[in-house]
Amino acid sequence: MNKRIFSGILVTALILLVCVGCGSKKKDKETTAAPTTEATSETTEKETTEEASTKLATTEKLTTEDEKHKGLVQSDLTGEWITPEENAKRPIGVMINNIDVCWPHSGIGKADIVYEMTCEGGITRLLALYSDYSELDKIGSIRSARQYFVMKCFEHDGILVHVGGSTYGKAAIKDFSVDDVDGIYEGVFYRTSDREAPHNCYIDTDGIDSSIASHGYRTTHNSDYEKIYSFNAEDTPLAKGEKAETVTCRYNSFTKPYFEYDSKTKLYNRFEYGQAHIDDQTGEQLTFKNILVVFSIVTPMPDGSYNDVALNGSGTGYYATDGKIIPIKWEKSNDYSVTKFYTEDGSPLLLNPGKTCVEYFDTKDSDRVTWE
C-alpha cells in the first residue's frame, strides 16, 4: 500500500477516534450534570421551604406574644405583665418583725419581694416590698428600721413603713431623705392584745394611704428611676445548675429559714423556726418563684450594739428557681446606684416572673447555705 495513503488512513482514523472520545466525554458530562442540577434545585427548594416555615413559626410566636402582652410591661418587682400605670407606682417597704414570738405574720403574703437580713443578737428582720398593698386590714407586726433596710428600700424608690429605728437607721432616713411612715410619730398604727409589746404593732391600707397623703409624698417613680431586677418574659428553666429541691440558709442555731420546692406549683414553700411561714390573714404559706442568696460582709457598728450589712461593693451568691440552683455575682458601686446581678460568665441574670425572697448572708458563713 502506498505509504501516503496508509498515513492518510491512519491520520483519519486517529481523528475519528479522538472525535469519538471527545463526544463520549461531553455526553458523559452532560449525562451526570442533569441529575446534580435537579438535586441541587430540590435541596434548595427544601431548605427554602424549611426556612420559610421556621420564620413563619417565629413570626407567629412573636405576634402571639405581642398580642398577649399588648399594652403591658413587666413589673419591676415581679416581672409579671402589668399596665405601665401600675408599674410607675412607688412600692412600700414594711419593716417586719421576725422573732419567733411574733409569728404568724399578717399581710406579708401579698408582698412581691421579701428581704431577710441579720440584726443584733442573731435575729433577722424582714423588709416586705409591695407594689399593691390594697385591701389589707393587718400588716405586721412592724418593728424598727436598720440602716441597710432603709437603704434597700431607698434603692427601690420605696416608701418605708416602720416604728422608730436604730441610731444609724434614723440617720439614714434623714441623710437620704427617705419618705417614711413612722409609728413613733403617727397615729395610723394600732396594737393588738393577742401578744405583748413591742411585738403587737400593725397598720392597714387606709393608715398607709392617709399618712402618704398627709405628707404629700410622691406616689410615682421619678424619670431617673432604675429598676434592680431583670426578668425572662416567661418561666424559663435554668439551662445549667444543680438540683435544689430544698434550700437552707442557717443564720445560726435558732434562725434557719429554708425552702422546699413543689414541682406541681413550680414554687418554693418557705419555712422558718421549724414551721411553715404562714400569713394569718389568708391562712396560706408563703411561696416564692425565686430565691436569691447574696453573700455580703456583716460587721459590728462602732457602738457595738448594732450590725451593718454591706450593700455596696461586689460579691457572689446563688440563684434558685424551678428546683435548680446556680452561682451568681453581684455588684453595687455606691449608695445611689442599684445592685446588678450576673451569672458566672458575666451575663445579666434574668429572674423568672414571680415573687422573690432575698437572703443577705454573711460571707464568712457561706458554708451554711446548703441545698439538696
Side-chain angles (χ1 to χ4, degrees):
M1 181 182 290
N2 188 297
K3 289 184 179 180
R4 287 184 181 180
I5 295 174
F6 177 78
S7 299
I9 294 172
L10 182 60
V11 171
T12 301
L14 289 171
I15 291 173
L16 289 174
L17 182 60
V18 170
C19 289
V20 170
C22 289
S24 176
K25 287 184 178 179
K26 184 176 181 180
K27 184 177 181 181
D28 290 344
K29 185 176 182 181
E30 288 175 349
T31 303
T32 55
T36 303
T37 303
E38 185 178 350
T40 302
S41 177
E42 289 178 354
T43 302
T44 303
E45 184 178 351
K46 183 179 179 182
E47 290 176 350
T48 302
T49 303
E50 290 178 349
E51 288 175 1
S53 298
T54 302
K55 289 179 180 179
L56 180 60
T58 303
T59 302
E60 288 178 346
K61 183 178 179 181
L62 291 173
T63 302
T64 302
E65 290 299 318
D66 289 343
E67 287 299 320
K68 181 179 178 181
H69 305 309
K70 187 176 181 179
L72 303 177
V73 298
Q74 284 188 279
S75 163
D76 293 339
L77 298 186
T78 67
E80 294 167 337
W81 294 90
I82 60 176
T83 66
E85 293 75 20
E86 290 174 309
N87 199 45
K89 293 179 180 178
R90 297 177 71 189
I92 63 162
V94 184
M95 281 300 315
I96 301 290
N97 189 4
N98 196 41
I99 195 168
D100 57 355
V101 298
C102 78
W103 276 42
H105 289 133
S106 303
I108 193 172
K110 201 172 184 179
D112 297 310
I113 301 175
V114 174
Y115 287 95
E116 182 167 23
M117 292 190 254
T118 187
C119 290
E120 58 280 356
I123 64 171
T124 62
R125 286 192 180 162
L126 310 175
L127 177 70
L129 278 166
Y130 300 76
S131 59
D132 176 15
Y133 58 93
S134 61
E135 300 180 358
L136 289 175
D137 295 326
K138 190 179 182 183
I139 308 172
S141 66
I142 302 174
R143 290 300 306 273
S144 58
R146 300 293 179 266
Q147 72 275 14
Y148 36 92
F149 286 112
V150 173
M151 296 308 295
K152 185 54 68 174
C153 188
F154 176 70
E155 189 177 354
H156 280 280
D157 190 31
I159 298 172
L160 181 67
V161 179
H162 64 112
V163 180
S166 67
T167 303
Y168 307 102
K170 290 185 286 189
I173 292 172
K174 180 180 178 181
D175 293 345
F176 291 90
S177 301
V178 176
D179 293 339
D180 70 318
V181 178
D182 189 347
I184 295 293
Y185 307 105
E186 302 184 45
V188 295
F189 294 74
Y190 64 91
R191 292 192 181 274
T192 62
S193 58
D194 60 342
R195 61 193 70 186
E196 295 182 357
H199 309 297
N200 61 347
C201 186
Y202 299 87
I203 198 170
D204 59 22
T205 296
D206 291 341
I208 296 172
D209 284 341
S210 64
S211 178
I212 290 174
S214 66
H215 285 290
Y217 290 148
R218 171 174 49 85
T219 57
T220 57
H221 291 302
N222 282 325
S223 58
D224 61 350
Y225 164 75
E226 184 180 0
K227 67 178 183 178
I228 298 177
Y229 300 108
S230 297
F231 295 88
N232 292 308
E234 304 290 344
D235 184 17
T236 306
L238 294 173
K240 299 179 180 179
E242 299 180 16
K243 184 178 75 172
E245 295 181 350
T246 300
V247 179
T248 303
C249 300
R250 186 171 65 87
Y251 286 89
N252 48 54
S253 60
F254 56 90
T255 305
K256 187 176 68 174
Y258 63 97
F259 305 81
E260 292 184 351
Y261 181 65
D262 185 337
S263 59
K264 294 181 180 178
T265 63
K266 293 188 175 182
L267 300 174
Y268 283 95
N269 299 316
R270 191 177 195 276
F271 299 79
E272 197 162 353
Y273 300 116
Q275 58 185 300
H277 195 166
I278 301 293
D279 182 338
D280 67 5
Q281 299 300 286
T282 63
E284 297 178 356
Q285 186 172 8
L286 269 63
T287 59
F288 296 93
K289 183 64 181 178
N290 307 302
I291 303 168
L292 274 176
V293 178
V294 181
F295 292 126
S296 177
I297 299 174
V298 178
T299 55
M301 295 299 290
D303 66 355
S305 299
Y306 298 99
N307 291 326
D308 186 39
V309 177
L311 302 182
N312 298 342
S314 61
T316 61
Y318 295 107
Y319 170 52
T321 189
D322 290 339
K324 295 176 71 174
I325 193 168
I326 59 171
I328 60 169
K329 300 176 182 178
W330 67 269
E331 62 180 31
K332 185 177 185 296
S333 57
N334 58 64
D335 290 332
Y336 295 93
S337 65
V338 299
T339 309
K340 299 293 185 182
F341 293 92
Y342 305 92
T343 57
E344 273 198 312
D345 64 4
S347 302
L349 176 67
L350 298 179
L351 306 184
N352 276 326
K355 296 183 178 183
T356 301
C357 188
V358 187
E359 303 284 344
Y360 267 82
F361 210 85
D362 196 342
T363 300
K364 68 177 178 15
D365 296 327
S366 60
D367 60 339
R368 295 181 183 176
V369 177
T370 58
W371 58 88
E372 57 185 5

